[in-house]
Each structure stands twice: as C-alpha cells, then as structure tokens.
PDB file of all heavy atoms in Angstrom:
ATOM      1  N   GLY A 133       0.821  -1.218   0.003  1.00  0.00           N
ATOM      2  CA  GLY A 133      -0.017  -0.010   0.015  1.00  0.00           C
ATOM      3  C   GLY A 133       0.845   1.277  -0.018  1.00  0.00           C
ATOM      4  O   GLY A 133       0.322   2.376  -0.051  1.00  0.00           O
ATOM      5  N   LYS A 134       2.175   1.124   0.016  1.00  0.00           N
ATOM      6  CA  LYS A 134       3.052   2.277   0.006  1.00  0.00           C
ATOM      7  C   LYS A 134       3.125   2.896  -1.383  1.00  0.00           C
ATOM      8  O   LYS A 134       2.890   2.251  -2.379  1.00  0.00           O
ATOM      9  CB  LYS A 134       4.486   1.892   0.417  1.00  0.00           C
ATOM     10  CG  LYS A 134       4.639   1.425   1.879  1.00  0.00           C
ATOM     11  CD  LYS A 134       6.077   1.046   2.131  1.00  0.00           C
ATOM     12  CE  LYS A 134       6.242   0.554   3.572  1.00  0.00           C
ATOM     13  NZ  LYS A 134       7.613   0.071   3.793  1.00  0.00           N
ATOM     14  N   THR A 135       3.378   4.184  -1.397  1.00  0.00           N
ATOM     15  CA  THR A 135       3.637   4.889  -2.666  1.00  0.00           C
ATOM     16  C   THR A 135       5.084   5.261  -2.746  1.00  0.00           C
ATOM     17  O   THR A 135       5.673   5.824  -1.775  1.00  0.00           O
ATOM     18  CB  THR A 135       2.728   6.165  -2.776  1.00  0.00           C
ATOM     19  OG1 THR A 135       1.379   5.766  -2.669  1.00  0.00           O
ATOM     20  CG2 THR A 135       2.984   6.887  -4.088  1.00  0.00           C
ATOM     21  N   ILE A 136       5.729   4.972  -3.883  1.00  0.00           N
ATOM     22  CA  ILE A 136       7.171   5.278  -4.031  1.00  0.00           C
ATOM     23  C   ILE A 136       7.385   6.142  -5.230  1.00  0.00           C
ATOM     24  O   ILE A 136       6.654   6.112  -6.227  1.00  0.00           O
ATOM     25  CB  ILE A 136       8.018   3.980  -4.131  1.00  0.00           C
ATOM     26  CG1 ILE A 136       7.570   3.157  -5.365  1.00  0.00           C
ATOM     27  CG2 ILE A 136       7.939   3.139  -2.877  1.00  0.00           C
ATOM     28  CD1 ILE A 136       8.530   2.043  -5.738  1.00  0.00           C
ATOM     29  N   GLY A 137       8.426   6.939  -5.165  1.00  0.00           N
ATOM     30  CA  GLY A 137       8.879   7.736  -6.313  1.00  0.00           C
ATOM     31  C   GLY A 137       9.908   6.970  -7.075  1.00  0.00           C
ATOM     32  O   GLY A 137      10.923   6.524  -6.488  1.00  0.00           O
ATOM     33  N   VAL A 138       9.649   6.673  -8.335  1.00  0.00           N
ATOM     34  CA  VAL A 138      10.563   5.893  -9.163  1.00  0.00           C
ATOM     35  C   VAL A 138      11.496   6.847  -9.922  1.00  0.00           C
ATOM     36  O   VAL A 138      11.139   7.302 -11.027  1.00  0.00           O
ATOM     37  CB  VAL A 138       9.818   4.926 -10.103  1.00  0.00           C
ATOM     38  CG1 VAL A 138      10.796   4.008 -10.849  1.00  0.00           C
ATOM     39  CG2 VAL A 138       8.811   4.086  -9.337  1.00  0.00           C
ATOM     40  N   ASN A 139      12.625   7.167  -9.342  1.00  0.00           N
ATOM     41  CA  ASN A 139      13.524   8.196  -9.924  1.00  0.00           C
ATOM     42  C   ASN A 139      14.681   7.590 -10.716  1.00  0.00           C
ATOM     43  O   ASN A 139      15.334   8.345 -11.435  1.00  0.00           O
ATOM     44  CB  ASN A 139      14.057   9.065  -8.793  1.00  0.00           C
ATOM     45  CG  ASN A 139      12.957   9.780  -8.023  1.00  0.00           C
ATOM     46  OD1 ASN A 139      12.143  10.424  -8.624  1.00  0.00           O
ATOM     47  ND2 ASN A 139      12.951   9.614  -6.730  1.00  0.00           N
ATOM     48  N   ASN A 140      14.934   6.319 -10.549  1.00  0.00           N
ATOM     49  CA  ASN A 140      16.121   5.792 -11.203  1.00  0.00           C
ATOM     50  C   ASN A 140      15.867   4.440 -11.906  1.00  0.00           C
ATOM     51  O   ASN A 140      16.626   3.494 -11.811  1.00  0.00           O
ATOM     52  CB  ASN A 140      17.264   5.590 -10.157  1.00  0.00           C
ATOM     53  CG  ASN A 140      16.779   4.802  -8.930  1.00  0.00           C
ATOM     54  OD1 ASN A 140      15.616   4.494  -8.800  1.00  0.00           O
ATOM     55  ND2 ASN A 140      17.725   4.467  -8.064  1.00  0.00           N
ATOM     56  N   ALA A 141      14.701   4.357 -12.572  1.00  0.00           N
ATOM     57  CA  ALA A 141      14.366   3.116 -13.321  1.00  0.00           C
ATOM     58  C   ALA A 141      15.365   2.963 -14.467  1.00  0.00           C
ATOM     59  O   ALA A 141      15.885   3.899 -15.014  1.00  0.00           O
ATOM     60  CB  ALA A 141      12.960   3.214 -13.887  1.00  0.00           C
ATOM     61  N   ILE A 142      15.630   1.665 -14.782  1.00  0.00           N
ATOM     62  CA  ILE A 142      16.621   1.385 -15.768  1.00  0.00           C
ATOM     63  C   ILE A 142      16.108   0.422 -16.837  1.00  0.00           C
ATOM     64  O   ILE A 142      15.134  -0.262 -16.620  1.00  0.00           O
ATOM     65  CB  ILE A 142      17.907   0.773 -15.156  1.00  0.00           C
ATOM     66  CG1 ILE A 142      17.524  -0.394 -14.242  1.00  0.00           C
ATOM     67  CG2 ILE A 142      18.705   1.792 -14.410  1.00  0.00           C
ATOM     68  CD1 ILE A 142      18.685  -1.052 -13.567  1.00  0.00           C
ATOM     69  N   MET A 143      16.751   0.435 -17.998  1.00  0.00           N
ATOM     70  CA  MET A 143      16.536  -0.581 -19.043  1.00  0.00           C
ATOM     71  C   MET A 143      17.824  -1.366 -19.219  1.00  0.00           C
ATOM     72  O   MET A 143      18.913  -0.866 -18.933  1.00  0.00           O
ATOM     73  CB  MET A 143      16.091   0.060 -20.327  1.00  0.00           C
ATOM     74  CG  MET A 143      14.576   0.212 -20.432  1.00  0.00           C
ATOM     75  SD  MET A 143      14.039   0.529 -22.115  1.00  0.00           S
ATOM     76  CE  MET A 143      12.252   0.561 -21.868  1.00  0.00           C
ATOM     77  N   PHE A 144      17.698  -2.588 -19.733  1.00  0.00           N
ATOM     78  CA  PHE A 144      18.830  -3.485 -19.821  1.00  0.00           C
ATOM     79  C   PHE A 144      19.227  -3.742 -21.304  1.00  0.00           C
ATOM     80  O   PHE A 144      18.379  -4.067 -22.098  1.00  0.00           O
ATOM     81  CB  PHE A 144      18.528  -4.817 -19.182  1.00  0.00           C
ATOM     82  CG  PHE A 144      18.191  -4.693 -17.740  1.00  0.00           C
ATOM     83  CD1 PHE A 144      16.915  -4.409 -17.306  1.00  0.00           C
ATOM     84  CD2 PHE A 144      19.199  -4.811 -16.765  1.00  0.00           C
ATOM     85  CE1 PHE A 144      16.626  -4.268 -15.943  1.00  0.00           C
ATOM     86  CE2 PHE A 144      18.889  -4.671 -15.414  1.00  0.00           C
ATOM     87  CZ  PHE A 144      17.609  -4.410 -15.004  1.00  0.00           C
ATOM     88  N   PHE A 145      20.506  -3.562 -21.579  1.00  0.00           N
ATOM     89  CA  PHE A 145      21.030  -3.879 -22.908  1.00  0.00           C
ATOM     90  C   PHE A 145      22.134  -4.871 -22.678  1.00  0.00           C
ATOM     91  O   PHE A 145      23.293  -4.531 -22.387  1.00  0.00           O
ATOM     92  CB  PHE A 145      21.592  -2.596 -23.581  1.00  0.00           C
ATOM     93  CG  PHE A 145      20.524  -1.543 -23.755  1.00  0.00           C
ATOM     94  CD1 PHE A 145      20.294  -0.601 -22.742  1.00  0.00           C
ATOM     95  CD2 PHE A 145      19.724  -1.503 -24.850  1.00  0.00           C
ATOM     96  CE1 PHE A 145      19.325   0.361 -22.887  1.00  0.00           C
ATOM     97  CE2 PHE A 145      18.732  -0.568 -25.007  1.00  0.00           C
ATOM     98  CZ  PHE A 145      18.565   0.370 -24.023  1.00  0.00           C
ATOM     99  N   ALA A 146      21.773  -6.164 -22.785  1.00  0.00           N
ATOM    100  CA  ALA A 146      22.641  -7.294 -22.374  1.00  0.00           C
ATOM    101  C   ALA A 146      22.971  -7.003 -20.895  1.00  0.00           C
ATOM    102  O   ALA A 146      22.098  -6.776 -20.105  1.00  0.00           O
ATOM    103  CB  ALA A 146      23.861  -7.394 -23.250  1.00  0.00           C
ATOM    104  N   GLN A 147      24.273  -6.967 -20.546  1.00  0.00           N
ATOM    105  CA  GLN A 147      24.630  -6.682 -19.117  1.00  0.00           C
ATOM    106  C   GLN A 147      24.621  -5.216 -18.785  1.00  0.00           C
ATOM    107  O   GLN A 147      24.687  -4.865 -17.629  1.00  0.00           O
ATOM    108  CB  GLN A 147      26.007  -7.272 -18.796  1.00  0.00           C
ATOM    109  CG  GLN A 147      25.911  -8.542 -17.953  1.00  0.00           C
ATOM    110  CD  GLN A 147      27.300  -9.108 -17.659  1.00  0.00           C
ATOM    111  OE1 GLN A 147      28.191  -8.979 -18.510  1.00  0.00           O
ATOM    112  NE2 GLN A 147      27.465  -9.696 -16.504  1.00  0.00           N
ATOM    113  N   ASP A 148      24.602  -4.365 -19.786  1.00  0.00           N
ATOM    114  CA  ASP A 148      24.643  -2.945 -19.528  1.00  0.00           C
ATOM    115  C   ASP A 148      23.294  -2.366 -19.165  1.00  0.00           C
ATOM    116  O   ASP A 148      22.275  -2.923 -19.548  1.00  0.00           O
ATOM    117  CB  ASP A 148      25.174  -2.215 -20.802  1.00  0.00           C
ATOM    118  CG  ASP A 148      26.539  -2.738 -21.224  1.00  0.00           C
ATOM    119  OD1 ASP A 148      27.348  -3.004 -20.331  1.00  0.00           O
ATOM    120  OD2 ASP A 148      26.747  -2.885 -22.453  1.00  0.00           O
ATOM    121  N   ARG A 149      23.340  -1.311 -18.385  1.00  0.00           N
ATOM    122  CA  ARG A 149      22.068  -0.656 -17.962  1.00  0.00           C
ATOM    123  C   ARG A 149      22.102   0.786 -18.373  1.00  0.00           C
ATOM    124  O   ARG A 149      23.141   1.412 -18.428  1.00  0.00           O
ATOM    125  CB  ARG A 149      21.968  -0.687 -16.423  1.00  0.00           C
ATOM    126  CG  ARG A 149      22.224  -2.045 -15.792  1.00  0.00           C
ATOM    127  CD  ARG A 149      22.299  -1.826 -14.281  1.00  0.00           C
ATOM    128  NE  ARG A 149      22.532  -3.081 -13.618  1.00  0.00           N
ATOM    129  CZ  ARG A 149      22.539  -3.211 -12.284  1.00  0.00           C
ATOM    130  NH1 ARG A 149      22.307  -2.174 -11.525  1.00  0.00           N
ATOM    131  NH2 ARG A 149      22.806  -4.363 -11.726  1.00  0.00           N
ATOM    132  N   GLU A 150      20.926   1.322 -18.633  1.00  0.00           N
ATOM    133  CA  GLU A 150      20.818   2.723 -18.935  1.00  0.00           C
ATOM    134  C   GLU A 150      19.651   3.312 -18.161  1.00  0.00           C
ATOM    135  O   GLU A 150      18.558   2.702 -18.094  1.00  0.00           O
ATOM    136  CB  GLU A 150      20.589   2.969 -20.445  1.00  0.00           C
ATOM    137  CG  GLU A 150      21.834   2.894 -21.276  1.00  0.00           C
ATOM    138  CD  GLU A 150      21.584   3.360 -22.731  1.00  0.00           C
ATOM    139  OE1 GLU A 150      20.546   3.932 -22.972  1.00  0.00           O
ATOM    140  OE2 GLU A 150      22.440   3.024 -23.571  1.00  0.00           O
ATOM    141  N   LEU A 151      19.858   4.479 -17.577  1.00  0.00           N
ATOM    142  CA  LEU A 151      18.788   5.192 -16.885  1.00  0.00           C
ATOM    143  C   LEU A 151      17.753   5.629 -17.957  1.00  0.00           C
ATOM    144  O   LEU A 151      18.152   6.127 -18.960  1.00  0.00           O
ATOM    145  CB  LEU A 151      19.339   6.395 -16.161  1.00  0.00           C
ATOM    146  CG  LEU A 151      18.629   6.897 -14.922  1.00  0.00           C
ATOM    147  CD1 LEU A 151      18.559   5.834 -13.867  1.00  0.00           C
ATOM    148  CD2 LEU A 151      19.314   8.151 -14.405  1.00  0.00           C
ATOM    149  N   LEU A 152      16.483   5.408 -17.682  1.00  0.00           N
ATOM    150  CA  LEU A 152      15.500   5.766 -18.703  1.00  0.00           C
ATOM    151  C   LEU A 152      14.660   6.962 -18.277  1.00  0.00           C
ATOM    152  O   LEU A 152      14.463   7.182 -17.075  1.00  0.00           O
ATOM    153  CB  LEU A 152      14.582   4.573 -19.039  1.00  0.00           C
ATOM    154  CG  LEU A 152      13.666   3.967 -17.951  1.00  0.00           C
ATOM    155  CD1 LEU A 152      12.373   4.677 -17.864  1.00  0.00           C
ATOM    156  CD2 LEU A 152      13.461   2.491 -18.183  1.00  0.00           C
ATOM    157  N   ASP A 153      14.208   7.708 -19.220  1.00  0.00           N
ATOM    158  CA  ASP A 153      13.346   8.851 -18.974  1.00  0.00           C
ATOM    159  C   ASP A 153      11.882   8.501 -19.095  1.00  0.00           C
ATOM    160  O   ASP A 153      11.017   9.004 -18.384  1.00  0.00           O
ATOM    161  CB  ASP A 153      13.669  10.015 -19.932  1.00  0.00           C
ATOM    162  CG  ASP A 153      15.048  10.613 -19.650  1.00  0.00           C
ATOM    163  OD1 ASP A 153      15.317  10.824 -18.489  1.00  0.00           O
ATOM    164  OD2 ASP A 153      15.792  10.829 -20.596  1.00  0.00           O
ATOM    165  N   ASP A 154      11.572   7.612 -20.067  1.00  0.00           N
ATOM    166  CA  ASP A 154      10.161   7.179 -20.218  1.00  0.00           C
ATOM    167  C   ASP A 154      10.140   5.763 -20.813  1.00  0.00           C
ATOM    168  O   ASP A 154      11.102   5.280 -21.347  1.00  0.00           O
ATOM    169  CB  ASP A 154       9.386   8.148 -21.104  1.00  0.00           C
ATOM    170  CG  ASP A 154      10.110   8.514 -22.400  1.00  0.00           C
ATOM    171  OD1 ASP A 154      10.616   7.559 -23.047  1.00  0.00           O
ATOM    172  OD2 ASP A 154      10.150   9.692 -22.743  1.00  0.00           O
ATOM    173  N   ALA A 155       9.006   5.105 -20.627  1.00  0.00           N
ATOM    174  CA  ALA A 155       8.774   3.744 -21.142  1.00  0.00           C
ATOM    175  C   ALA A 155       7.290   3.593 -21.316  1.00  0.00           C
ATOM    176  O   ALA A 155       6.476   4.325 -20.762  1.00  0.00           O
ATOM    177  CB  ALA A 155       9.334   2.715 -20.171  1.00  0.00           C
ATOM    178  N   TYR A 156       6.939   2.605 -22.148  1.00  0.00           N
ATOM    179  CA  TYR A 156       5.525   2.407 -22.528  1.00  0.00           C
ATOM    180  C   TYR A 156       5.055   0.996 -22.251  1.00  0.00           C
ATOM    181  O   TYR A 156       5.875   0.112 -21.922  1.00  0.00           O
ATOM    182  CB  TYR A 156       5.376   2.714 -24.046  1.00  0.00           C
ATOM    183  CG  TYR A 156       5.690   4.146 -24.387  1.00  0.00           C
ATOM    184  CD1 TYR A 156       7.006   4.535 -24.658  1.00  0.00           C
ATOM    185  CD2 TYR A 156       4.729   5.133 -24.464  1.00  0.00           C
ATOM    186  CE1 TYR A 156       7.341   5.833 -24.993  1.00  0.00           C
ATOM    187  CE2 TYR A 156       5.005   6.420 -24.838  1.00  0.00           C
ATOM    188  CZ  TYR A 156       6.346   6.772 -25.066  1.00  0.00           C
ATOM    189  OH  TYR A 156       6.647   8.076 -25.405  1.00  0.00           O
ATOM    190  N   ALA A 157       3.749   0.802 -22.346  1.00  0.00           N
ATOM    191  CA  ALA A 157       3.171  -0.550 -22.163  1.00  0.00           C
ATOM    192  C   ALA A 157       3.922  -1.545 -23.029  1.00  0.00           C
ATOM    193  O   ALA A 157       4.167  -1.288 -24.215  1.00  0.00           O
ATOM    194  CB  ALA A 157       1.698  -0.493 -22.538  1.00  0.00           C
ATOM    195  N   GLY A 158       4.274  -2.668 -22.460  1.00  0.00           N
ATOM    196  CA  GLY A 158       5.061  -3.676 -23.189  1.00  0.00           C
ATOM    197  C   GLY A 158       6.526  -3.667 -22.758  1.00  0.00           C
ATOM    198  O   GLY A 158       7.222  -4.670 -22.865  1.00  0.00           O
ATOM    199  N   ASP A 159       7.038  -2.508 -22.322  1.00  0.00           N
ATOM    200  CA  ASP A 159       8.441  -2.423 -21.919  1.00  0.00           C
ATOM    201  C   ASP A 159       8.663  -3.090 -20.558  1.00  0.00           C
ATOM    202  O   ASP A 159       7.749  -3.176 -19.716  1.00  0.00           O
ATOM    203  CB  ASP A 159       8.888  -0.949 -21.832  1.00  0.00           C
ATOM    204  CG  ASP A 159       9.089  -0.296 -23.201  1.00  0.00           C
ATOM    205  OD1 ASP A 159       9.345  -1.060 -24.155  1.00  0.00           O
ATOM    206  OD2 ASP A 159       9.039   0.929 -23.284  1.00  0.00           O
ATOM    207  N   ILE A 160       9.876  -3.570 -20.364  1.00  0.00           N
ATOM    208  CA  ILE A 160      10.303  -4.129 -19.098  1.00  0.00           C
ATOM    209  C   ILE A 160      11.296  -3.202 -18.469  1.00  0.00           C
ATOM    210  O   ILE A 160      12.321  -2.910 -19.104  1.00  0.00           O
ATOM    211  CB  ILE A 160      10.979  -5.515 -19.263  1.00  0.00           C
ATOM    212  CG1 ILE A 160      10.136  -6.430 -20.149  1.00  0.00           C
ATOM    213  CG2 ILE A 160      11.286  -6.151 -17.914  1.00  0.00           C
ATOM    214  CD1 ILE A 160       8.820  -6.878 -19.573  1.00  0.00           C
ATOM    215  N   ILE A 161      10.999  -2.683 -17.288  1.00  0.00           N
ATOM    216  CA  ILE A 161      11.944  -1.746 -16.659  1.00  0.00           C
ATOM    217  C   ILE A 161      12.426  -2.352 -15.314  1.00  0.00           C
ATOM    218  O   ILE A 161      11.728  -3.163 -14.707  1.00  0.00           O
ATOM    219  CB  ILE A 161      11.314  -0.355 -16.413  1.00  0.00           C
ATOM    220  CG1 ILE A 161      10.174  -0.445 -15.370  1.00  0.00           C
ATOM    221  CG2 ILE A 161      10.795   0.217 -17.712  1.00  0.00           C
ATOM    222  CD1 ILE A 161       9.641   0.976 -15.013  1.00  0.00           C
ATOM    223  N   GLY A 162      13.631  -1.932 -14.943  1.00  0.00           N
ATOM    224  CA  GLY A 162      14.199  -2.380 -13.662  1.00  0.00           C
ATOM    225  C   GLY A 162      14.097  -1.247 -12.657  1.00  0.00           C
ATOM    226  O   GLY A 162      14.407  -0.105 -12.923  1.00  0.00           O
ATOM    227  N   ILE A 163      13.548  -1.577 -11.456  1.00  0.00           N
ATOM    228  CA  ILE A 163      13.414  -0.578 -10.439  1.00  0.00           C
ATOM    229  C   ILE A 163      14.266  -0.974  -9.250  1.00  0.00           C
ATOM    230  O   ILE A 163      13.998  -1.922  -8.514  1.00  0.00           O
ATOM    231  CB  ILE A 163      11.927  -0.478  -9.951  1.00  0.00           C
ATOM    232  CG1 ILE A 163      10.975  -0.157 -11.159  1.00  0.00           C
ATOM    233  CG2 ILE A 163      11.799   0.621  -8.886  1.00  0.00           C
ATOM    234  CD1 ILE A 163       9.520  -0.147 -10.797  1.00  0.00           C
ATOM    235  N   PRO A 164      15.402  -0.239  -9.035  1.00  0.00           N
ATOM    236  CA  PRO A 164      16.265  -0.507  -7.836  1.00  0.00           C
ATOM    237  C   PRO A 164      15.475  -0.224  -6.565  1.00  0.00           C
ATOM    238  O   PRO A 164      14.713   0.771  -6.482  1.00  0.00           O
ATOM    239  CB  PRO A 164      17.410   0.474  -8.025  1.00  0.00           C
ATOM    240  CG  PRO A 164      17.368   0.867  -9.473  1.00  0.00           C
ATOM    241  CD  PRO A 164      15.951   0.825  -9.847  1.00  0.00           C
ATOM    242  N   ASN A 165      15.590  -1.098  -5.599  1.00  0.00           N
ATOM    243  CA  ASN A 165      14.865  -0.908  -4.311  1.00  0.00           C
ATOM    244  C   ASN A 165      15.589  -1.684  -3.233  1.00  0.00           C
ATOM    245  O   ASN A 165      16.490  -2.464  -3.484  1.00  0.00           O
ATOM    246  CB  ASN A 165      13.390  -1.328  -4.476  1.00  0.00           C
ATOM    247  CG  ASN A 165      13.217  -2.784  -4.627  1.00  0.00           C
ATOM    248  OD1 ASN A 165      12.920  -3.494  -3.676  1.00  0.00           O
ATOM    249  ND2 ASN A 165      13.505  -3.301  -5.846  1.00  0.00           N
ATOM    250  N   HIS A 166      15.133  -1.518  -2.035  1.00  0.00           N
ATOM    251  CA  HIS A 166      15.779  -2.168  -0.831  1.00  0.00           C
ATOM    252  C   HIS A 166      14.818  -3.167  -0.208  1.00  0.00           C
ATOM    253  O   HIS A 166      14.666  -3.193   0.989  1.00  0.00           O
ATOM    254  CB  HIS A 166      16.226  -1.143   0.147  1.00  0.00           C
ATOM    255  CG  HIS A 166      17.263  -0.206  -0.374  1.00  0.00           C
ATOM    256  ND1 HIS A 166      18.547  -0.605  -0.655  1.00  0.00           N
ATOM    257  CD2 HIS A 166      17.214   1.124  -0.751  1.00  0.00           C
ATOM    258  CE1 HIS A 166      19.237   0.403  -1.131  1.00  0.00           C
ATOM    259  NE2 HIS A 166      18.460   1.453  -1.198  1.00  0.00           N
ATOM    260  N   GLY A 167      14.146  -3.951  -1.022  1.00  0.00           N
ATOM    261  CA  GLY A 167      13.265  -4.991  -0.497  1.00  0.00           C
ATOM    262  C   GLY A 167      11.829  -4.552  -0.337  1.00  0.00           C
ATOM    263  O   GLY A 167      11.003  -5.305   0.210  1.00  0.00           O
ATOM    264  N   THR A 168      11.491  -3.353  -0.841  1.00  0.00           N
ATOM    265  CA  THR A 168      10.088  -2.888  -0.702  1.00  0.00           C
ATOM    266  C   THR A 168       9.216  -3.460  -1.814  1.00  0.00           C
ATOM    267  O   THR A 168       7.988  -3.498  -1.634  1.00  0.00           O
ATOM    268  CB  THR A 168      10.030  -1.343  -0.779  1.00  0.00           C
ATOM    269  OG1 THR A 168      10.753  -0.923  -1.945  1.00  0.00           O
ATOM    270  CG2 THR A 168      10.678  -0.723   0.443  1.00  0.00           C
ATOM    271  N   ILE A 169       9.795  -3.931  -2.911  1.00  0.00           N
ATOM    272  CA  ILE A 169       8.998  -4.448  -4.028  1.00  0.00           C
ATOM    273  C   ILE A 169       9.273  -5.943  -4.149  1.00  0.00           C
ATOM    274  O   ILE A 169      10.417  -6.377  -4.147  1.00  0.00           O
ATOM    275  CB  ILE A 169       9.338  -3.739  -5.350  1.00  0.00           C
ATOM    276  CG1 ILE A 169       9.197  -2.237  -5.196  1.00  0.00           C
ATOM    277  CG2 ILE A 169       8.461  -4.217  -6.492  1.00  0.00           C
ATOM    278  CD1 ILE A 169       9.646  -1.451  -6.417  1.00  0.00           C
ATOM    279  N   ARG A 170       8.197  -6.719  -4.284  1.00  0.00           N
ATOM    280  CA  ARG A 170       8.289  -8.168  -4.340  1.00  0.00           C
ATOM    281  C   ARG A 170       7.669  -8.732  -5.575  1.00  0.00           C
ATOM    282  O   ARG A 170       6.878  -8.099  -6.244  1.00  0.00           O
ATOM    283  CB  ARG A 170       7.597  -8.780  -3.068  1.00  0.00           C
ATOM    284  CG  ARG A 170       8.096  -8.283  -1.780  1.00  0.00           C
ATOM    285  CD  ARG A 170       7.042  -8.214  -0.668  1.00  0.00           C
ATOM    286  NE  ARG A 170       5.956  -9.115  -0.835  1.00  0.00           N
ATOM    287  CZ  ARG A 170       5.747 -10.207  -0.032  1.00  0.00           C
ATOM    288  NH1 ARG A 170       6.584 -10.441   0.946  1.00  0.00           N
ATOM    289  NH2 ARG A 170       4.740 -10.998  -0.228  1.00  0.00           N
TER     290      ARG A 170
END
C-alpha cells in the first residue's frame, strides 16, 4: 500500500544498464529498491 517515487528506473542492454526517462506498455523496466518491491 506504500507509494514510491521511481527516480532511477533502468533498461537493460545485455549486461549494460541505462537510466530511462520514459517507457511504454510492453516495456520491461528495472526498479532498484531495498526490499520494498516483491
């Protein structure tokens, strides 16, 4: 029920990561967190 600000979502290019500005339905994004998301 918590609300979080997603400020550093990333996309994956093989092992490399890039910070993303926007993404759309169908995209897979990575959200760094400290165990709050399961």
